[in-house]
């Protein structure tokens, strides 16, 4: 059954990050192609699904979009538990949001699925004039921590689909080769560097 | 800084993922077993038979005789069997034992079948099966079985089974109104077996083992899939039968009977098969009351809504009225402006809401900013005092200089949160739209002032949703602030960092669903949905995101009357869930799908019918419902009363 041509994957993906960083906007851009200037805050959590074709496989993302405020932190494990992938979102115009993103990375490294594919997304890349976090700093952090990094703009759609595509490519396949998890991790920084290059 | 003090609800400290217990704490406990059980009022006795006796044991001395009655109330028929007092001489049967067997107001909508037995020696008796459970055989010492069945036939649809001349299948589809209701979303024509959530605690097991369900095609297909997975050949025939049944969802019972007969041609009907299944499961024997009792065939077994038919016998949520208008409002006020009868006012508002141009005035009472017994003059005074008090608190943050702010992280953080949220709250309303909108600034200032007024709670996402409609109505910054303060006296715990306020409401919700719709409860239990987090948004911000603005205003003023319960919002949750129960269960939604489904109901909920259903559910649940809600569950006021709000009566009617 598991022919290479019919590799269909379901992958749970969670978006984490500071409030107002643009988590919901990224998802809505990806899932519905929409962008709202004043996207309302997420209360509790929202769930979306979207299927991507990657090479000869399809990946159906089951996406959990979470509330960003620290106050709701205690609910987050419910959503990232068992996730195959996470996008940690920060706002390039907010140093605090980058700090918060690092905390999420730490938490996932401690609590999350050890094989989780993690992406760091510096959102609002269209607001170059207000930038507070440089791409270099973020990329360096991502490389150190085995994440791949992209700067995105939900508003202009820049790199939004790319983040999800890249995650889809990196997901362990349904019938995985016997690679131990550690080996996958070792591979990631290199791939991450390559992926990041698609981001200007 | 690591603060563990319970009062510290600030946002800057890292907070360890806390509530792992949260969901697990919401495990099921035994549901209340009692149906509130008085004889229905305004009831007409249509059948009465004395010396109807049960034989709890083989000993003649332990037989209990009583009076059997059929009682008609409205369109519904109930059966009661009450043992005689002090009639039995033996000592082994306590009054309690007798009480155990008492049948109080069993609605026929709960009854699935009645089997008549005519032994060659002895009395005729019947076995009534309700919600999958057989009551003890009722022996008619003075005869009257035929009359009993004939009377039933006059009032409810009862069909003699084609497979067994002594088996009478009961249905309740006589009333054309019921038919109409059933065609909306009910499980279909087989829903005669409405299990009673308030009945025996073992209902649940039956449901679990036999979610064969009826009516909804989808549900049947789903079950079909599962069945096949289980490779239980004994069930396959049931499946075929189910599939046939599924086609008759909206047809009357006769059609069903015919199909049933067709599927039985080969003599391997579901009765046989199911009997086998049942025997293999560990079903103790409520249905095997004694040796001579057969298991009454319980054909397709749908977790139909236990209240679907009962509700017609309730005051089914009074019709919504027109909103309270100016003239009528004046009639509630005495010459000095006091509200003479606040309860009557609240009741009136509950049933109709308030005309839009009156809201500004009326809301201030509902929220507790004005007390009901205040005069015009007193209120004028309150407004001016409160205005200056507001300005004082506002000055606290306005006077923070940029230099001071640099050294005041919490302030900067809070302001940042509020800045981010106010610009994305209800911006599509003309009241808040456009750049540099003054009302958005007012919202910002009120929220920041509140975060100083209640520094422990601070600002939390969702608060702007609660404030927005209040500011929209009050239009005045100070008054909106104080009304918001009043609202958060009740809803503040929704934002507790430990989520305790939300947990207690979600917990109460799960208890209420267990009480009011045990099949749905069991479904959630089996699918790990008992934490009810899919209702989180509904409760946190009082359905603000579920309705368009005007409906939200209506809903809120209705909720704030706290009539007929402070916790009507939980019954609203249930009313909405019940409207979609067949879809939820039929499509076998898991937690993710359910959350998505619930979120997408936004804008699709019809408020008025939901309010009526919520009212009916609340009335139906009665004291059992109230007892399912832990004391102090928001929006109940916290135990230590703040002097400002004590005038608000928290009636639970």
């Amino acid at each position: 059954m598991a022919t290479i041509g019919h590799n269909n994957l379901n992958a749970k993906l969670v978006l984490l990050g500071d409030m107002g960083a643009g988590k919901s906007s990224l998802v809505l851009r990806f899932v519905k192609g929409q962008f709202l200037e004043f996207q309302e805050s997420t209360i509790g959590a929202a769930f979306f699904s979207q299927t991507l074709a990657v090479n000869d496989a399809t990946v159906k993302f089951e996406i959990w979009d979470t509330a960003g405020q620290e106050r709701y932190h205690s609910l987050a494990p419910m959503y990232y538990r068992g996730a195959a992938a996470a996008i940690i979102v920060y706002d390039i115009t907010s140093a605090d949001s980058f700090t918060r993103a690092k905390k999420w990375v730490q938490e996932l490294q401690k609590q999350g699925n050890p094989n989780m594919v993690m992406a760091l997304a510096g959102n609002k890349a269209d607001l170059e004039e207000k930038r507070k976090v440089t791409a270099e700093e973020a990329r360096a952090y991502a490389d150190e921590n085995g994440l791949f990094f992209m700067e995105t703009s939900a508003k202009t759609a820049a790199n939004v689909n790319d983040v999800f595509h890249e995650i889809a490519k990196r997901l362990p396949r349904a019938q995985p080769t016997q690679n131990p998890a550690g080996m996958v991790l070792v591979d990631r920084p290199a791939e991450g560097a390559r992926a990041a290059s698609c981001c200007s | 800084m690591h603060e563990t003090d319970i009062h510290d609800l600030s946002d800057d400290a890292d907070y360890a993922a806390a509530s792992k217990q949260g969901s697990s704490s919401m495990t099921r406990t035994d549901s209340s077993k009692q149906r509130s059980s008085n004889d229905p009022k305004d009831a007409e006795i249509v059948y009465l038979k004395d010396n109807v006796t049960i034989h709890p044991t083989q000993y003649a001395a332990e037989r209990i005789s009583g009076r059997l009655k059929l009682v008609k109330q409205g369109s519904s028929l109930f059966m009661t069997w009450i043992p005689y007092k002090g009639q039995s001489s033996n000592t082994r049967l306590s009054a309690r034992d007798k009480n155990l067997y008492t049948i109080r107001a069993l609605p026929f909508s709960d009854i699935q079948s009645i089997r008549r037995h005519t032994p060659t020696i002895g009395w005729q008796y019947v076995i009534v099966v309700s919600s999958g459970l057989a009551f003890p055989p009722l022996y008619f010492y003075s005869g009257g079985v035929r009359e009993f069945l004939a009377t039933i036939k006059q009032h409810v649809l009862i069909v003699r089974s084609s497979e067994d001349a002594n088996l009478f299948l009961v249905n309740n589809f006589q009333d054309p109104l019921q038919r109409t209701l059933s065609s909306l979303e009910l499980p279909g024509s087989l829903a005669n077996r409405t299990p009673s959530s308030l009945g025996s605690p073992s209902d649940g097991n039956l449901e679990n083992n036999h979610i064969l369900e009826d009516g909804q095609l989808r549900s049947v297909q789903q079950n079909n899939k599962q069945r096949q997975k289980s490779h239980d050949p004994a069930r396959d025939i049931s499946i075929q039968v189910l599939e046939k049944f599924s086609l008759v969802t909206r047809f009357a019972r006769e059609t069903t009977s015919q199909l049933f007969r067709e599927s039985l041609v080969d003599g391997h009907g579901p009765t046989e098969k199911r009997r086998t299944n049942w025997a293999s499961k560990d079903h103790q024997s409520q249905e095997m009351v004694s040796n001579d009792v057969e298991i009454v065939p319980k054909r397709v077994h749908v977790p139909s809504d236990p209240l679907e038919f009962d509700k017609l016998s309730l005051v089914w949520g009074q019709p919504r009225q027109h909103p309270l208008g100016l003239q009528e409002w004046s009639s509630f006020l005495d010459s000095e402006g006091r509200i003479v009868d606040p309860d009557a006012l609240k009741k009136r508002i509950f049933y109709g809401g308030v005309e839009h141009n009156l809201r500004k005035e009326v809301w201030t009472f509902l929220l507790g900013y004005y007390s009901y017994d205040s005069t015009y003059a007193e209120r004028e005074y309150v407004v001016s005092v409160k205005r200056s008090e507001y300005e004082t608190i506002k000055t606290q943050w306005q006077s923070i200089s940029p230099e001071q702010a640099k050294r005041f992280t919490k302030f900067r953080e809070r302001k940042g949160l509020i800045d981010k949220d106010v610009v994305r709250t209800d911006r599509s309303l003309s009241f808040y739209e456009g750049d540099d909108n003054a009302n958005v600034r007012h919202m910002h200032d009120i929220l920041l002032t509140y975060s100083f007024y209640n520094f422990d709670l601070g600002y939390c996402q969702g608060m702007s949703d609660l404030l927005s409609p209040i500011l929209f109505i009050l239009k005045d910054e100070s008054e909106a602030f104080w009304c918001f303060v009043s609202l958060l006296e009740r809803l503040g715990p929704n934002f507790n960092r430990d989520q305790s306020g939300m947990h207690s409401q979600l917990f109460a919700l799960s208890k209420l669903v267990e009480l009011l719709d045990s099949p749905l409860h069991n479904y959630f239990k089996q699918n790990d949905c008992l934490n009810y987090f899919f209702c989180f948004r509904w409760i946190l911000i009082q359905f603000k995101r579920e309705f368009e603005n005007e409906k939200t205003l209506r809903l809120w003023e209705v909720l704030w009357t706290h009539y007929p319960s402070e916790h009507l919002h939980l019954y609203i949750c249930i009313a909405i869930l019940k409207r979609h129960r067949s879809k939820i269960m039929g499509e076998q939604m898991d937690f993710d799908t359910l959350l998505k489904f619930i979120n997408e109901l936004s804008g699709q909920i019809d408020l008025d019918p939901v309010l009526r259903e919520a009212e009916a559910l609340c009335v139906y649940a009665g004291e059992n419902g109230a007892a399912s809600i832990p004391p102090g569950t928001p929006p109940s006021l916290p135990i230590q009363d703040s002097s400002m709000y004590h005038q608000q009566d928290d009636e639970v009617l």
Side-chain angles (χ1 to χ4, degrees):
Chain A
M1 197 61 201
T3 61
I4 298 166
H6 285 83
N7 204 350
N8 300 322
L9 219 57
N10 278 13
K12 177 176 172 182
L13 182 153
V14 62
L15 280 106
L16 300 167
D18 203 4
M19 73 180 255
K23 299 177 293 298
S24 303
S25 295
L26 283 175
V27 181
L28 286 175
R29 173 59 81 186
F30 173 59
V31 174
K32 299 186 176 168
Q34 296 171 349
F35 176 79
L36 295 171
E37 192 66 40
F38 299 114
Q39 173 65 39
E40 61 188 3
S41 63
T42 302
I43 300 290
F47 180 79
F48 302 86
S49 53
Q50 176 75 308
T51 303
L52 273 186
V54 180
N55 301 330
D56 52 357
T58 64
V59 176
K60 183 184 176 196
F61 280 117
E62 293 162 347
I63 303 168
W64 286 93
D65 179 24
T66 61
Q69 191 180 8
E70 177 65 37
R71 185 71 55 94
Y72 296 113
H73 192 149
S74 64
L75 303 180
M78 186 164 71
Y79 302 116
Y80 67 64
R81 191 180 302 136
I87 302 178
I88 294 119
V89 185
Y90 70 94
D91 169 359
I92 67 155
T93 72
S94 159
D96 286 346
S97 74
F98 186 55
T99 307
R100 185 80 200 288
K102 293 181 192 168
K103 286 186 179 167
W104 278 118
V105 172
Q106 284 168 16
E107 177 165 340
L108 290 179
Q109 286 170 339
K110 264 194 289 188
Q111 318 271 353
N113 161 20
N115 296 319
M116 189 185 283
V117 177
M118 282 196 267
L120 180 66
N123 194 36
K124 308 195 187 181
D126 53 295
L127 298 177
E128 185 59 44
E129 70 282 9
K130 295 185 181 170
R131 176 188 288 278
K132 297 281 179 5
V133 183
T134 66
E136 291 69 32
E137 181 186 4
R139 183 171 296 126
Y141 175 80
D143 288 350
E144 282 165 30
N145 288 275
L147 287 71
F148 77 90
F149 168 70
M150 284 189 193
E151 287 195 345
T152 57
S153 168
K155 187 171 186 171
T156 67
N159 277 346
V160 175
N161 289 348
D162 310 65
V163 172
F164 288 91
H165 268 281
E166 189 59 33
I167 289 175
K169 280 194 271 179
R170 289 164 186 250
L171 286 169
R173 287 298 175 246
Q175 304 294 329
T177 53
Q178 297 305 311
N179 285 350
M183 188 172 160
V184 177
L185 279 170
V186 168
D187 283 349
R188 272 185 204 155
E191 291 181 34
R194 179 176 54 78
S197 65
C198 67
C199 166
S200 61
Chain B
M1 179 146 67
H2 192 78
E3 293 148 303
T4 51
D5 187 295
I6 191 163
H7 296 295
D8 184 89
L9 302 165
S10 57
D11 287 302
D12 54 345
D14 269 342
Y15 187 70
S19 49
K20 278 186 191 148
Q21 309 303 3
S23 50
S24 61
S25 73
M26 293 185 196
T27 52
R28 168 187 171 135
T29 61
D30 270 348
S31 63
S32 163
K33 296 177 192 173
Q34 305 87 7
R35 173 187 290 280
S36 50
S37 55
N38 300 325
D39 267 345
K41 288 171 193 152
D42 308 312
E44 179 198 354
I45 296 168
V46 294
Y47 174 85
L48 185 151
K49 199 72 187 172
D50 279 302
N51 293 315
V52 177
T53 305
I54 64 167
H55 300 176
T57 68
Q58 56 187 323
Y59 301 108
E62 293 185 2
R63 293 172 183 173
I64 308 172
S65 287
R67 175 176 287 177
L68 181 69
K69 285 191 281 192
L70 294 173
V71 181
K72 175 112 183 183
Q73 185 200 23
S75 62
S76 296
L77 188 68
F78 297 82
M79 185 180 99
T80 69
W81 178 80
I82 314 287
Y84 299 127
K85 283 190 181 137
Q87 150 257 13
S88 170
S89 56
N90 74 77
T91 49
R92 293 174 60 184
L93 272 176
S94 66
R96 197 160 133 221
D97 287 333
K98 287 164 74 174
N99 205 34
L100 188 67
Y101 296 105
T102 301
I103 301 172
R104 290 196 178 85
L106 173 69
F108 266 73
S109 55
D110 277 358
I111 294 179
Q112 292 151 306
S113 65
I114 298 171
R115 181 184 282 277
R116 178 178 61 192
H117 292 254
T118 312
T120 43
I121 303 173
W123 302 279
Q124 253 194 335
Y125 63 94
V126 300
I127 296 170
V128 174
V129 174
S130 164
S131 306
L133 297 178
F135 285 92
L138 294 164
Y139 290 83
F140 286 65
Y141 283 14
S142 310
V145 170
R146 175 188 290 268
E147 190 197 344
F148 175 67
L149 293 168
T151 310
I152 294 168
K153 194 170 183 179
Q154 286 167 21
H155 297 283
V156 299
L157 194 52
I158 180 168
V159 175
R160 188 192 292 247
S161 163
S162 56
E163 62 164 333
D164 181 339
N166 282 308
L167 178 65
F168 297 85
L169 305 165
V170 181
N171 204 320
N172 212 0
F173 269 85
Q174 266 190 328
D175 187 326
L177 176 56
Q178 282 178 327
R179 262 179 228 263
T180 311
L181 277 177
S182 71
S183 70
L184 297 179
E185 99 157 75
L186 286 203
S189 57
L190 300 176
N192 57 322
R193 291 145 277 93
T194 45
S196 163
S197 60
L198 303 177
S200 156
S202 58
D203 288 357
N205 295 333
L206 291 177
E207 301 297 341
N208 296 350
N209 294 336
H210 298 279
I211 303 204
L212 304 176
E213 243 351 276
D214 66 337
Q216 299 283 330
L217 182 57
R218 251 190 309 241
S219 108
V220 171
Q221 289 170 332
Q222 284 286 351
N223 284 317
N224 188 359
K225 248 186 265 168
Q226 293 195 322
R227 286 301 109 101
Q228 286 165 339
K229 266 186 226 158
S230 74
H231 298 300
D232 178 355
R235 287 185 159 175
D236 289 344
I237 291 178
S238 306
I239 294 163
Q240 292 171 13
V241 177
L242 283 172
E243 283 173 342
K244 292 201 173 181
F245 281 144
S246 72
L247 303 174
V248 299
T249 307
R250 296 183 184 173
F251 290 82
R253 183 47 175 270
E254 294 84 349
T255 320
T256 305
S257 293
Q258 196 195 341
L259 278 169
F260 195 62
R261 186 165 52 241
E262 283 167 8
S263 64
L264 288 170
V265 245
D266 61 358
H268 294 289
T271 306
E272 287 292 307
K273 297 302 176 186
R274 299 194 50 135
R275 199 177 295 175
T276 315
N277 288 344
W278 280 27
S280 68
K281 295 205 166 189
D282 133 60
H283 251 309
Q284 313 156 355
S285 52
Q286 258 107 338
E287 48 281 303
M288 307 196 190
V289 182
S290 63
N291 291 340
D292 55 351
V293 175
E294 293 174 45
I295 298 170
V296 174
K298 183 171 161 59
R299 302 161 311 144
V300 271
H301 181 90
V302 185
S304 53
D305 186 336
L307 300 182
E308 235 9 289
F309 300 103
D310 276 8
K311 67 186 179 190
L312 289 162
S313 64
L314 302 169
V315 186
W316 181 234
Q318 295 188 26
R320 307 295 303 165
Q321 299 170 12
H322 59 88
L324 176 75
L326 183 59
Q327 199 177 354
E328 195 182 354
W329 163 244
S330 314
S331 73
F332 281 99
L333 302 167
D334 70 12
S335 57
E336 295 183 300
R338 294 183 196 87
I339 289 167
V340 184
D341 187 348
D343 290 344
L345 174 68
K346 287 188 248 180
K347 191 171 171 183
R348 173 66 183 87
I349 294 170
F350 176 83
Y351 284 112
V354 179
E355 275 182 12
H356 188 74
N357 54 7
L358 262 186
R359 283 191 168 123
K360 179 173 164 56
E361 190 170 2
V362 176
W363 278 26
T364 50
F365 291 94
L366 289 175
L367 283 165
Y369 176 57
Y370 294 149
S371 69
Y372 288 99
D373 58 1
S374 61
T375 62
Y376 293 123
E378 286 164 348
R379 295 202 282 270
E380 235 171 83
Y381 177 71
V382 166
V383 169
S384 73
V385 169
K386 286 291 179 186
R387 190 177 306 286
S388 78
E389 198 180 328
Y390 173 70
E391 291 304 327
T392 306
I393 306 166
K394 187 174 173 182
T395 311
Q396 290 171 4
W397 61 262
Q398 282 184 318
S399 64
I400 293 171
S401 71
E403 281 306 302
Q404 189 186 357
K406 272 190 202 163
R407 298 165 177 81
F408 196 170
T409 307
K410 271 192 186 176
F411 171 69
R412 287 200 319 275
E413 283 179 353
R414 282 189 185 181
K415 189 168 184 330
L417 300 176
I418 293 165
D419 286 341
K420 280 179 191 161
D421 272 358
V422 293
V423 296
R424 51 179 174 158
T425 302
D426 288 334
R427 294 305 294 284
S428 57
L429 295 180
S430 61
F431 188 73
Y432 292 114
E433 90 187 339
D435 294 340
D436 202 25
N437 180 305
N439 296 316
V440 174
R441 276 203 310 280
H442 292 316
M443 198 186 322
H444 169 274
D445 290 0
I446 292 172
L447 289 169
L448 196 50
T449 307
Y450 182 79
S451 90
F452 274 69
Y453 173 79
N454 188 347
F455 202 85
D456 292 341
L457 192 58
Y459 174 75
C460 191
Q461 282 198 307
M463 286 185 181
S464 66
D465 283 277
L466 292 180
L467 174 60
S468 162
I470 291 176
L471 180 59
F472 171 69
I473 292 299
L474 273 295
K475 304 237 166 25
D476 174 276
E477 194 177 311
S478 164
E479 290 181 43
F481 172 80
W482 289 110
C483 285
F484 180 67
V485 165
S486 295
L487 182 64
L488 284 205
E489 284 298 308
R490 290 177 173 278
L491 297 183
N494 284 9
F495 303 105
N496 284 355
R497 183 181 274 283
D498 64 0
Q499 302 295 328
S500 58
M502 288 303 296
H503 278 300
S504 66
Q505 289 170 90
L506 294 169
F507 176 75
L509 178 57
S510 80
K511 303 307 292 177
L512 288 174
V513 172
E514 185 176 10
L515 180 71
L516 292 165
D517 193 343
S518 65
L520 187 62
H521 171 86
N522 290 329
Y523 178 83
F524 288 150
K525 189 178 179 186
Q526 287 162 8
N527 290 276
D528 288 327
C529 295
L530 268 195
N531 60 26
Y532 282 85
F533 267 108
F534 48 87
C535 296
F536 189 90
R537 186 173 80 190
W538 290 359
I539 289 174
L540 186 86
I541 52 174
Q542 306 285 287
F543 302 95
K544 163 73 162 48
R545 300 273 181 97
E546 318 313 318
F547 296 100
E548 38 123 2
N549 190 46
E550 170 59 31
K551 294 286 182 201
T552 301
L553 307 178
R554 173 60 34 83
L555 171 61
W556 283 13
E557 63 204 9
V558 166
L559 288 177
W560 295 339
T561 64
H562 302 130
Y563 175 96
S565 161
E566 274 186 318
H567 299 98
L568 191 81
H569 69 303
L570 298 178
Y571 294 99
I572 290 174
C573 294
I574 300 168
I576 301 171
L577 290 174
K578 272 182 170 292
R579 293 192 143 228
H580 301 282
R581 67 191 300 287
S582 334
K583 190 172 169 68
I584 291 168
M585 293 193 278
E587 296 182 9
Q588 296 278 299
M589 292 187 189
D590 59 10
F591 181 84
D592 297 7
T593 317
L594 186 55
L595 182 110
K596 185 172 189 230
F597 174 71
I598 296 281
N599 279 358
E600 288 172 355
L601 286 180
S602 174
Q604 314 289 318
I605 303 169
D606 199 351
L607 180 60
D608 280 354
V610 162
L611 280 175
R612 291 181 65 171
E613 284 158 25
E615 182 200 357
L617 289 165
C618 180
V619 171
Y620 187 90
E623 287 177 13
N624 287 335
S628 303
I629 303 170
T633 298
S636 293
L637 285 170
I639 311 301
Q640 70 280 21
D641 201 0
S642 133
S643 59
M644 242 189 91
Y645 313 112
H646 68 277
Q647 67 270 19
Q648 223 162 354
D649 299 323
D650 301 322
E651 63 205 305
V652 177
L653 300 179

